[in-house]
Amino acid sequence: GEDSRNFHVSIQGTPPSIASAGEIPIITAVAGGQLLLECPEGAEPHPSVEWHREGSLLQEDARRQVLAQGRFLQLRAVAAVDGGEYSCRATSAPGDTGQLVRVQVHG
């Protein structure tokens, strides 16, 4: 079967710094399952949303797809290599905003 988890990432007016944000939320995924991360759309007009993994722009492939103009990141057939810090970043004015989530893969 499949295991699907959703994570709600809130985009705030001022991005939190790592020092003041407290612990980064941790999402646990099961190896071989599916993971859907959500980055809600901001205020009008819709911002351009980018997804990053471990600080680098995420490249889409057969297992990793950005959906709905960046609002969702879908990971299929999750593997240990998919673990790490993911960030969703809205690049619309006034300034960039973003949020981090850490994905751990078990199984």
Side-chain angles (χ1 to χ4, degrees):
E2 288 188 357
D3 185 20
S4 176
R5 309 257 174 147
N6 293 327
F7 180 74
H8 186 82
V9 179
S10 296
I11 297 181
Q12 302 169 351
T14 305
S17 68
I18 293 176
S20 65
E23 289 189 24
I24 296 172
I26 297 174
I27 300 302
T28 301
V30 177
Q34 177 176 288
L35 182 66
L36 186 67
L37 303 179
E38 180 180 0
C39 184
E41 297 177 46
E44 300 287 341
H46 297 303
S48 171
V49 177
E50 296 177 343
W51 284 90
H52 294 78
R53 181 181 171 277
E54 296 293 333
S56 298
L57 186 63
L58 187 84
Q59 299 298 318
E60 292 184 77
D61 57 29
R63 295 189 314 107
R64 300 182 294 189
Q65 293 186 320
V66 176
L67 309 173
Q69 289 79 46
R71 185 169 182 190
F72 298 98
L73 174 63
Q74 182 180 57
L75 303 176
R76 294 180 176 155
V78 175
V81 296
D82 293 318
E85 285 185 3
Y86 287 79
S87 63
C88 118
R89 183 172 301 277
T91 57
S92 65
D96 292 354
T97 60
Q99 182 64 283
L100 286 173
V101 60
R102 179 177 295 279
V103 173
Q104 292 183 339
V105 180
H106 295 278

